[in-house]
Amino acid sequence: DAKTTQPTSMDCAEGRAANLPCNHSTISGNEYVYWYRQIHSQGPQYIIHGLKNNETNEMASLIITEDRKSSTLILPHATLRDTAVYYCIVEYNNDMRFGAGTRLTVKP
Amino acid sequence: ETGVTQTPRHLVMGMTNKKSLKCEQHLGHNAMYWYKQSAKKPLELMFVYNFKEQTENNSVPSRFSPECPNSSHLFLHLHTLQPEDSALYLCASSQDGAGGPWNEQFFGPGTRLTVL
């Protein structure tokens, strides 16, 4: 079973920030938080990952709470092409468990 | 383009057929994976190969047989499949199979398999 809980779906207006939450209350000290997304009929695409500190790359930012029990993926300026299913995964020792994810719909 | 290619992209086969799915990665990675994605279900990890050695088999039926001849190629041999095996089969690779900070996985586009 996936070790994370995400909302089933979210909407976001084009050009606005999309904030996708993830709960991982049973995360252990060695487990990383990974985010992937899957655009319809394509393979999943890596977005970002982190352990304790907040992370930022060209695609997104990852905010991890101090107790590490939850995190938020931020797409700063969502576009229509960001419409996808977003997966939050906690991983250690190569045990990658995908849950149902959040279906993000970016609307014009 | 992720550097991971899969062929064929679509496959229709009967329950008595034998077919193979091919995956190739051009990233110099040492770990490769097979996943299954059925309709409206999460991705399921099937097999993991690390440095050509199988390190994980998630209770996959024997009608699915993986083969990893080298670190760049991964096959999934299929025989006597059932209609419920119809799914999207995804291949992925990562730098190595140790997990942790280096487990960013690069996925191929998948093979859409239909078993009649």
Side-chain angles (χ1 to χ4, degrees):
Chain A
D1 291 337
K3 303 177 183 178
T4 61
T5 303
Q6 299 178 252
T8 303
S9 63
M10 293 181 63
D11 291 341
C12 177
E14 187 178 18
R16 305 295 294 270
N19 298 299
L20 292 95
C22 179
N23 288 323
H24 30 80
S25 58
T26 60
I27 193 170
S28 63
N30 295 325
E31 289 181 315
Y32 283 75
V33 180
Y34 274 80
W35 283 83
Y36 285 78
R37 72 180 182 183
Q38 187 173 22
I39 296 171
H40 182 62
S41 297
Q42 299 181 21
Q45 175 190 23
Y46 165 82
I47 301 173
I48 198 167
H49 73 279
L51 181 63
K52 295 180 182 178
N53 300 321
N54 298 337
E55 303 288 343
T56 295
N57 62 20
E58 64 278 5
M59 288 183 68
S61 295
L62 174 60
I63 308 298
I64 303 174
T65 57
E66 192 169 344
D67 63 7
R68 302 208 326 122
K69 293 185 176 182
S70 66
S71 61
T72 301
L73 178 75
I74 301 173
L75 308 179
H77 305 287
T79 70
L80 298 178
R81 293 196 293 181
D82 291 322
T83 292
V85 177
Y86 287 77
Y87 299 99
C88 168
I89 302 159
V90 294
E91 182 273 342
Y92 176 73
N93 200 28
N94 215 25
D95 186 9
M96 189 89 77
R97 306 283 182 99
F98 285 81
T102 296
R103 181 172 297 279
L104 175 69
T105 303
V106 180
K107 298 185 174 181
Chain B
E1 286 294 328
T2 63
V4 181
T5 58
Q6 290 186 243
T7 54
R9 293 293 307 276
H10 300 273
L11 178 62
V12 179
M13 59 187 288
M15 289 190 285
T16 59
N17 291 156
K18 290 184 180 181
K19 297 286 185 183
S20 296
L21 310 184
K22 179 182 177 182
C23 175
E24 184 173 0
Q25 58 96 0
H26 310 274
L27 302 168
H29 289 166
N30 294 303
M32 296 187 76
Y33 312 79
W34 279 117
Y35 287 86
K36 175 184 178 183
Q37 188 172 33
S38 303
K40 300 185 178 180
K41 292 177 71 174
L43 274 79
E44 303 170 57
L45 180 64
M46 300 175 72
F47 301 104
V48 180
Y49 277 82
N50 197 21
F51 292 91
K52 299 188 296 179
E53 297 295 323
Q54 187 179 127
T55 58
E56 190 156 345
N57 175 343
N58 276 351
S59 303
V60 180
S62 60
R63 58 186 183 270
F64 295 92
S65 174
E67 178 190 2
C68 188
N70 55 62
S71 293
S72 299
H73 294 86
L74 184 65
F75 295 89
L76 187 63
H77 303 299
L78 317 171
H79 62 98
T80 60
L81 295 191
Q82 304 298 312
E84 59 263 30
D85 296 322
S86 298
L88 180 68
Y89 288 84
L90 290 155
C91 173
S93 71
S94 66
Q95 184 171 327
D96 61 38
W102 307 113
N103 201 37
E104 173 186 348
Q105 294 188 15
F106 293 80
F107 284 81
T111 295
R112 175 73 61 186
L113 174 67
T114 302
V115 182
L116 302 177

